[in-house]
């Protein structure tokens, strides 16, 4: 229910490169919702001095339903334009 260790390490190492970029979060979850992943991304980026970053609505796919998520993903991608 939180950001994975590899993603946390990536943001700590390269987060500054995301300054003034659009963040498009997507994740799978095991039935408990997205947890605090997006908040952790925001916190880490703020700690790295990243400003003026825009976050889109995250895509959260239930890991138990990933084989039936095509429509959900397609709809989410269209909403990004």
């Amino acid at each position: 229910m939180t950001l994975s260790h590899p993603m946390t390490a990536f943001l700590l190492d390269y987060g500054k490169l995301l300054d003034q970029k659009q963040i498009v979060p997507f994740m799978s979850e095991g039935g408990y919702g997205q947890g605090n992943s997006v908040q952790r991304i925001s916190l880490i980026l703020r700690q790295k001095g990243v400003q003026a970053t825009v976050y889109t609505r995250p895509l959260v796919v239930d890991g138990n339903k990933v084989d039936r998520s095509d429509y959900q993903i397609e709809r989410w991608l269209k909403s990004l334009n």
Side-chain angles (χ1 to χ4, degrees):
M1 293 191 50
T2 193
L3 198 59
S4 69
H5 293 294
M7 183 54 78
T8 298
F10 172 82
L11 292 172
L12 290 171
D13 290 345
Y14 301 104
K16 187 63 177 161
L17 297 174
L18 300 175
D19 194 40
Q20 299 187 27
K21 303 289 185 196
Q22 182 177 19
I23 306 298
V24 183
F26 58 94
M27 64 204 77
S28 63
E29 51 90 9
Y32 299 104
Q34 74 184 44
N36 69 348
S37 297
V38 177
Q39 292 84 354
R40 290 265 304 135
I41 293 168
S42 178
L43 175 66
I44 292 168
L45 292 181
R46 281 196 315 268
Q47 290 172 343
K48 299 305 267 179
V50 173
Q51 299 177 8
T53 302
V54 175
Y55 293 85
T56 65
R57 179 180 59 85
L59 171 65
V60 183
V61 175
D62 184 332
N64 297 322
K65 299 176 184 171
V66 71
D67 59 331
R68 298 179 302 239
S69 62
D70 291 351
Y71 176 72
Q72 179 186 7
I73 294 168
E74 183 179 324
R75 195 175 66 207
W76 177 73
L77 287 171
K78 286 180 181 177
S79 76
L80 298 177
N81 293 330

